[in-house]
Amino acid sequence: MPNRPTFATTAESVDRGVFEIEYGLEAASGHQNINGLLKWGALRTLELRFSNNPVQRDAGVAGTGDSGAGFKYKIISQSKTLPTFSILYTAAIPTAPASRGAGAVGHSIQLLASKDFGKHHLDVNEGVQFVGRRGASGFDRNYFTALSYSYPFTRKWGITGELAGFSRTNAATPATMTVLESVTFSPSPRLVLDAGGYFAAYGHLPRFTFTAGVTYAIADLYHPRGKNKK
């Protein structure tokens, strides 16, 4: 199930052996980027992840952005009564200059829950983020909450809505909250296109940010096409 274009992350993971990519763009006043996420189902319960912003532009200054690496581990698969529960860990890697990125290593860990009610899908995330301090030791801390809803109103078209926010990190980074709406189109089971945007309910964010992107399951690395089955 694709993560794009929301801040929330589904507790479900890509199938074992499947390599999937998500790439998109954001465009707002004073901020634009191209963002990517690579995912691989190493095991049935373990998804390895790497993210990167190959292009980022803030206040007219452009270049590469930060990166991230981590994993998603599925604890429980959903049943009739229980949702899927997973743990998501991400290490923030400061690959961009401090003027465009965090400028320090950081860590985040989230508890993810996902449940299907017929065609209706809900994702709930709760997490904590440890933000490295530029030029100093230690971490600042914030808390993250997200609620995401999606519904396929036809075989190929769907909608997504989300409410997400971070608590206050430090004196320079106040709390933020965003409200997101988007439309998805899936021309094939392996390909999902999305377009929409999110509004800043409060915080130091652009009033509106446009988003668009693509999610594509490239291949099953454990069962490549053309390999003879025994």
Side-chain angles (χ1 to χ4, degrees):
M1 183 168 295
N3 294 332
R4 285 200 47 80
T6 67
F7 292 98
T9 303
T10 177
E12 305 295 346
S13 57
V14 297
D15 292 337
R16 178 179 177 273
V18 172
F19 178 58
E20 185 175 281
I21 64 171
E22 299 180 6
Y23 268 91
L25 62 87
E26 294 184 349
S29 176
H31 169 77
Q32 300 85 38
N33 74 25
I34 295 176
N35 53 83
L37 174 63
L38 311 180
K39 302 181 293 182
W40 178 51
L43 301 172
R44 185 179 59 84
T45 57
L46 179 64
E47 176 184 296
L48 303 182
R49 303 159 61 89
F50 177 79
S51 61
N52 178 250
N53 289 3
V55 178
Q56 183 161 316
R57 185 174 183 270
D58 291 302
V61 179
T64 59
D66 285 336
S67 302
F71 64 87
K72 182 196 298 182
Y73 181 76
K74 186 184 295 185
I75 304 169
I76 299 174
S77 294
Q78 75 168 306
S79 62
K80 186 176 181 180
T81 56
L82 289 176
T84 297
F85 285 103
S86 295
I87 294 292
L88 175 66
Y89 167 78
T90 304
I93 306 170
T95 52
S99 60
R100 291 192 307 273
V105 173
H107 307 273
S108 69
I109 186 166
Q110 296 180 29
L111 176 63
L112 317 176
S114 297
K115 189 75 169 72
D116 294 318
F117 299 91
K119 291 185 177 181
H120 303 271
H121 179 82
L122 290 176
D123 296 315
V124 180
N125 296 176
E126 290 288 345
V128 59
Q129 181 174 245
F130 298 92
V131 181
R133 297 168 179 163
R134 298 179 184 179
S137 61
F139 298 90
D140 291 322
R141 182 174 59 193
N142 63 43
Y143 297 94
F144 172 72
T145 300
L147 173 63
S148 178
Y149 166 79
S150 59
Y151 177 76
F153 56 87
T154 71
R155 188 170 62 87
K156 295 185 176 182
W157 291 91
I159 56 172
T160 296
E162 180 189 80
L163 182 66
F166 289 89
S167 68
R168 178 182 180 275
T169 304
N170 50 40
T173 310
T176 61
M177 179 179 288
T178 57
V179 180
L180 179 146
E181 298 176 354
S182 67
V183 176
T184 60
F185 175 66
S186 181
S188 78
R190 297 172 59 185
L191 178 64
V192 181
L193 308 175
D194 66 78
Y198 57 88
F199 296 87
Y202 60 79
H204 293 170
L205 298 171
R207 180 60 180 168
F208 177 75
T209 301
F210 169 78
T211 67
V214 57
T215 302
Y216 183 59
I218 296 178
D220 183 343
L221 301 184
Y222 289 158
H223 303 93
R225 288 186 177 183
K227 184 177 180 180
N228 292 328
K229 296 183 179 180
K230 296 182 180 180

